[in-house]
Amino acid sequence: MSFSFSVTHTDGAARRGVLTTPHGAVQTPAFMAVGTQGAVKAVTHRDLDDLGTEIILANTYHLYLRPGAGRIGALGGLHAFMGWSKPILTDSGGYQVFSLAARRKVHEEGATFRSHLDGSEHLLTPESAVDIQAQLGSDIAMVLDECLEHPASRARASESLDRTLRWARRGRDHFVQLQSESPQFANPGQAQFGIIQGGMFPDLRRRSVDETVAIGFEAYAIGGLSVGEPVPEMYDVTEQTAPLLPPDRPRYLMGVGTPVDLVESVARGIDMFDCVLPTRNARNGQLFTSTGRLNIKNAEYADDKGPVDARCGCYTCRNFSRAYLRHLFQAGEMTAGTLNTLHNLHFYLDTMKRIREAIVFSTLEEIRQEYRRIFP
C-alpha cells in the first residue's frame, strides 16, 4: 500500500480526508500522540488501540542516540521493534538539535551537537537524517530543516530559510536515490515531507512554499511555529501559509497544540498535528475536560466522588473518581500518570473525531465557538 491522500469533505477552509500509508489509513484531521522513544509515555499499545489511535510520532534524535537506528533496522525496523502495526511518522531531529542551544552548532553541512546522554559529538546532515529514518522504516519521514528561534530578525529568518531550502534539496535528492536502492529501506513505501519555514514574515513563507513545493515532496509541513510566538501570530502565519500548499496533499502543523489550537488550525486548512501537551500535562496532573482544564492535584478534589468529566466515556472517567486520581497523584503512584494520560488522549482524539464529523455536516463553527469558550 503506497502513500496517498484524498479530501472527502470541506467546510470553508477545513478539510476532512483519508491519508493512506503502507501500514494503514488515517482519518484526517488527525492528532498524532508523541512516542518520543518508541513509546507513548505511561500507556501501552493496547491502550492506544482501545483509544482508536491511528498514527503516532516517534523521535529520530532520541532513537538515533539510543538504541541506535542501525540496531532498530537490523531488528526489522521501528514497527517490528516496538510492536506497533499502524502508521508512524518520524521527525528529522531538527527541533531537538535546535533545543540543545549551547550543545549544538549549525553550519552548511548540517548540525554538530553533543548528546544529552553522554556528551559525545555527532553530526546530523540532511543526508544522514534520511539514512536514519530509512533504517527506522517509518511511514512518513521529515526532511531536515533549521528551526528558527523566536523572535528573529528578517535577515536572520531569510538566512535560515535559504539554508533550509538547500538542505531540503539535498535531503530529497538523497531520499530519491536511496529509494532506488530499496534493500536499504526498512519500509520501501516511506514518504518524505518537506517543511515550510520563514519565521513570521509572509513573503518569506510564500517563498518557502514556492521553492519547497518545486523540489517535490509527497506532502508538506508548516514548521517554526509554537516556539514562543504569540498565539494570534501563529494563527496568522498558518492562515496565510496553508492555502498556498498543494490542495491534494496533507498539511501538517508541527508541534501544535492546545485543544483550541487544533480547532482553530483545522479551520485554517490543517490536516495533521502532534504535540506533547496531552501526555506531558497528564503526568503533571492537568486534565482537559468539556468544561476546561482541571488540575487534579488541587485540594478541592480530595473528597470528590465524581469523574474527571461527566461527559467523557474514557476508561478513567468510567471507573475512577477525582478523589482517587488526586490520591494517586499525591502518592506518586505511576498509575496516576497512566489514568490521566488515557483521559487526555481520549479527549484529544475525541476532539478530532468531533471535528471530522462537524466538517461533514458543515458545523465546525459551532465547535470552534465552544472551544474558544471553554479554553480561553
Side-chain angles (χ1 to χ4, degrees):
M1 191 183 301
S2 60
F3 180 90
S4 66
F5 177 72
S6 62
V7 175
T8 59
H9 302 82
T10 60
D11 182 5
R15 297 126 54 92
R16 177 171 180 171
V18 181
L19 173 66
T20 304
T21 80
H23 286 88
V26 179
Q27 302 297 313
T28 65
F31 178 81
M32 296 179 284
V34 177
T36 300
Q37 304 196 67
V40 177
K41 286 182 172 60
V43 295
T44 67
H45 297 344
R46 180 182 60 194
D47 295 326
L48 296 175
D49 277 332
D50 290 345
L51 289 168
T53 305
E54 293 183 331
I55 182 171
I56 63 174
L57 178 147
N59 189 287
T60 294
Y61 165 85
H62 287 280
L63 293 173
Y64 160 71
L65 291 178
R66 182 176 57 192
R71 175 169 287 152
I72 292 174
L75 291 168
L78 189 55
H79 288 87
F81 180 65
M82 61 185 285
W84 176 256
S85 62
K86 297 179 182 180
I88 298 174
L89 180 147
T90 48
D91 58 19
S92 66
Y95 178 79
Q96 284 67 40
V97 171
F98 158 78
S99 67
L100 290 172
R103 289 175 171 262
R104 51 91 173 147
K105 180 178 180 181
V106 177
H107 43 85
E108 191 59 31
E109 186 179 1
T112 302
F113 66 94
R114 292 196 175 275
S115 165
H116 71 286
L117 297 175
D118 58 11
S120 57
E121 188 172 275
H122 301 265
L123 173 64
L124 183 66
T125 69
E127 293 83 6
S128 65
V130 169
D131 291 335
I132 293 166
Q133 292 177 89
Q135 291 175 307
L136 296 177
S138 55
D139 297 279
I140 298 169
M142 304 303 299
V143 72
L144 182 66
D145 64 327
E146 182 180 3
C147 187
L148 187 66
E149 69 279 356
H150 180 84
S153 68
R154 180 183 176 79
R156 173 76 181 100
S158 181
E159 176 188 32
S160 176
L161 171 58
D162 288 342
R163 176 175 287 136
T164 287
L165 290 169
R166 291 192 295 270
W167 284 2
R169 177 76 272 173
R170 287 166 53 190
R172 185 60 178 177
D173 287 347
H174 190 63
F175 180 86
V176 171
Q177 177 188 359
L178 203 60
Q179 270 197 324
S180 67
E181 304 164 2
S182 56
Q184 297 189 40
F185 266 78
N187 180 358
Q190 186 180 71
Q192 187 186 42
F193 281 25
I195 301 177
I196 307 304
Q197 289 288 354
M200 301 296 127
F201 302 94
D203 61 319
L204 295 184
R205 287 281 176 174
R206 180 179 291 274
R207 182 162 74 86
S208 180
V209 170
D210 290 345
E211 297 190 29
T212 306
V213 171
I215 292 172
F217 294 90
E218 277 72 45
Y220 303 90
I222 300 175
L225 296 179
S226 195
V227 291
E229 75 281 358
V231 171
E233 285 192 36
M234 178 180 76
Y235 292 163
D236 286 346
V237 171
T238 301
E239 186 167 13
Q240 294 160 6
T241 306
L244 304 175
L245 294 169
D248 61 343
R249 307 294 174 92
R251 303 161 178 167
Y252 167 28
L253 183 57
M254 303 177 74
V256 176
T258 67
V260 73
D261 289 342
L262 303 183
V263 182
E264 291 289 347
S265 300
V266 167
R268 289 163 168 81
I270 298 300
D271 307 297
M272 299 171 65
F273 303 88
D274 80 280
C275 190
V276 299
L277 210 58
T279 49
R280 177 180 292 169
N281 286 25
R283 298 193 305 276
N284 291 323
Q286 185 183 84
L287 304 172
F288 296 97
T289 78
S290 60
T291 57
R293 293 175 176 84
L294 183 151
N295 290 308
I296 200 65
K297 54 193 171 187
N298 289 354
E300 63 185 292
Y301 303 120
D303 300 302
D304 193 331
K305 296 180 181 179
V308 170
D309 187 346
R311 290 174 54 183
C312 180
C314 77
Y315 172 76
T316 301
C317 289
R318 292 197 316 269
N319 292 281
F320 306 103
S321 68
R322 294 176 176 180
Y324 181 62
L325 294 175
R326 181 181 185 275
H327 158 70
L328 292 178
F329 187 87
Q330 294 297 105
E333 287 287 343
M334 289 188 292
T335 306
T338 296
L339 295 178
N340 291 347
T341 300
L342 288 175
H343 169 79
N344 275 359
L345 284 178
H346 179 277
F347 184 87
Y348 266 62
L349 294 173
D350 186 63
T351 292
M352 302 314 294
K353 181 180 179 181
R354 292 183 63 200
I355 288 172
R356 291 192 296 269
E357 291 173 350
I359 293 172
V360 172
F361 294 102
S362 298
T363 58
L364 181 62
E365 186 60 26
E366 295 178 15
I367 295 181
R368 192 176 179 184
Q369 294 303 324
E370 174 191 343
Y371 274 66
R372 283 178 172 178
R373 184 177 67 255
I374 63 177
F375 296 106

